[in-house]
Amino acid sequence: MMRLGIDLGGTNTVVGLCTPQGELLDKMSAPTKTGDPDGLCAVMHSLCRQICDKHGVAYADVERIGIGLPGTLVKATCTLTFGTNLGMSNVCFAHAFEPDFTCPVAIDNDANCAALGEFAGGAGRGTRNLLMVTLGTGVGGGIVLDGKLYTGREDIAGEIGHMVIVPNGAPCNCGRHGCLETYASATGLIRLATEAMADAPNTCLHAMAQGNGGKLTAKMVCDARDQGDAVASRVFDDYCDYLACGLTNLVNVFQPDVIVVGGGVAGYGEKLLAPLRERVHREQFKVGPEGTPIVRATLGNDAGIIGAALL
C-alpha cells in the first residue's frame, strides 16, 4: 500500500508518492490552477495518476490521499472554506480523485503538514511533542502533541503568528496590533530595518536596497550584520528579542520536546538559532539547566508533502 501527499501552493502543486511510514519515494509538480477549482482538481488528479503509473502502483493500492494547503478549512468535510493565495473558497476535495482513486482524502493547513512531516521524518523524529515555526512572509506554526496534530475545535489551532507580543504595536493583516508575525516574520525584519534606516544614512543597507531596485530583503539585513553593520546588528538583535518572546510563551504553555524552525529566515542557520536559544533558555520556565532544544527544519519543501501523506 502507498500514500499520496499533495503540497498545494499558490505557485506550484506538488504530489509525492510515500510509504505509509512517510518515506518520500518520488514527487511531481505542475503550476497551480489558481482561481479555477475544477482545473485545480484536474491537475491534482492527473499528477496522482502520473506518479502511480511511473512507479507501477495500482490506483487501488493507494490507501489515502492527503492535501496540505494555505487557508481555512473544515477537515470533516474535506473543504477549503477560504483560500486567499489560491483564489478560491468553499471547494470540497472529498471526491476530487474519483473514479480512479476511491481511498479517503484528508486535508489540513500547510503549516500543520510541515510540522507532521518534520515530526515523522525530519528534525523532530523520535519526539512526542513538537512545535513547528515557519518564518517567511508571515509566521506559521504547527503543534504535535503526544504524536498527533493538534488543530483545535475549529481546525485552526497553531496560528502562532497572531499571538500579540507588543500591546498596541504595529498593525497586523489579521486586524490586531502587535502580533508576532508583524515583528518576527521576514516581512517584520524588513520593516524593522526600514524604520531604522530612516535615521541612519551611513548604514550599508541603503546601498544594498538600491542595488536591488530599492527593495530591501531579509537576507540583506543578515548579510549586513555579517559585515559588521551596526544598524543591521541592532535590528537583528531586536528581531531575535521579539521572536524569542513568542517562542518562550509557547514553551511555557506546551513544554515541547523540541521547537523546529523553518522558512526562509531559518536559512541563516546557527547565526539565528544560537541567539534564540540563549534568549529562550534564559527566560523559559524549567526545572533543570537544559532548555528546550531549538533546531532547524531538515526536510525543506518535502516536509509538507510527507506530512500531507501521513494525515
Side-chain angles (χ1 to χ4, degrees):
M1 303 300 286
M2 289 290 175
R3 291 191 170 210
L4 294 172
I6 302 176
D7 183 7
L8 185 53
T11 303
N12 292 309
T13 297
V14 186
V15 172
L17 179 68
C18 297
T19 67
Q21 293 73 39
E23 179 185 0
L24 179 62
L25 304 178
D26 196 7
K27 58 185 178 181
M28 291 182 172
S29 66
T32 297
K33 293 280 189 178
T34 56
D36 180 4
D38 292 337
L40 176 63
C41 290
V43 167
M44 290 193 297
H45 194 164
S46 175
L47 287 172
C48 288
R49 290 197 306 266
Q50 289 177 51
I51 201 166
C52 286
D53 292 344
K54 177 182 177 181
H55 292 273
V57 176
Y59 301 159
D61 287 338
V62 175
E63 63 179 1
R64 184 172 292 269
I65 296 173
I67 307 171
L69 42 77
T72 57
L73 48 90
V74 178
K75 292 196 294 185
T77 59
C78 204
T79 300
L80 171 69
T81 55
F82 184 63
T84 302
N85 293 339
L86 298 175
M88 60 187 74
S89 300
N90 299 316
V91 182
C92 179
F93 295 105
H95 306 289
F97 304 93
E98 297 175 352
D100 297 306
F101 300 92
T102 57
C103 61
V105 179
I107 66 172
D108 212 320
N109 179 270
D110 49 4
N112 286 339
C113 290
L116 188 57
E118 288 288 345
F119 170 78
R125 185 195 294 269
T127 66
R128 293 298 295 168
N129 303 287
L130 169 149
L131 287 176
M132 175 87 182
V133 181
T134 55
L135 307 173
T137 303
V139 174
I143 305 166
V144 178
L145 298 178
D146 197 24
K148 298 179 181 179
L149 273 175
Y150 176 75
T151 56
R153 181 172 62 89
E154 297 182 349
D155 296 331
I156 58 173
E159 290 290 345
I160 64 174
H162 300 294
M163 165 177 54
V164 171
I165 61 167
V166 181
N168 302 311
C172 180
N173 290 331
C174 74
R176 303 181 78 193
H177 288 75
C179 289
L180 181 65
E181 181 165 293
T182 64
Y183 293 89
S185 62
T187 308
L189 178 57
I190 293 168
R191 180 183 62 81
L192 292 172
T194 301
E195 291 173 354
M197 289 164 62
D199 297 321
N202 295 325
T203 175
C204 68
L205 291 171
H206 289 290
M208 287 182 170
Q210 289 171 3
N212 190 42
K215 184 178 181 181
L216 190 69
T217 67
K219 185 178 185 302
M220 290 177 189
V221 180
C222 296
D223 290 343
R225 176 179 182 256
D226 289 341
Q227 295 174 21
D229 185 90
V231 173
S233 296
R234 185 176 71 251
V235 166
F236 186 80
D237 285 344
D238 290 343
Y239 173 86
C240 287
D241 286 342
Y242 289 126
L243 179 54
C245 176
L247 295 186
T248 302
N249 291 340
L250 293 169
V251 167
N252 289 344
V253 172
F254 291 104
Q255 286 289 297
D257 299 321
V258 65
I259 294 178
V260 179
V261 183
V265 182
Y268 201 34
E270 282 299 311
K271 295 176 184 178
L272 168 67
L273 298 181
L276 273 183
R277 291 190 195 103
E278 189 276 327
R279 287 164 167 80
V280 174
H281 294 179
R282 181 181 66 233
E283 298 295 332
Q284 73 175 97
F285 283 115
K286 55 185 180 291
V287 176
E290 296 297 323
T292 301
I294 301 175
V295 301
R296 184 178 173 185
T298 60
L299 296 179
N301 293 332
D302 291 343
I305 302 170
I306 295 170
L310 294 175
L311 289 176

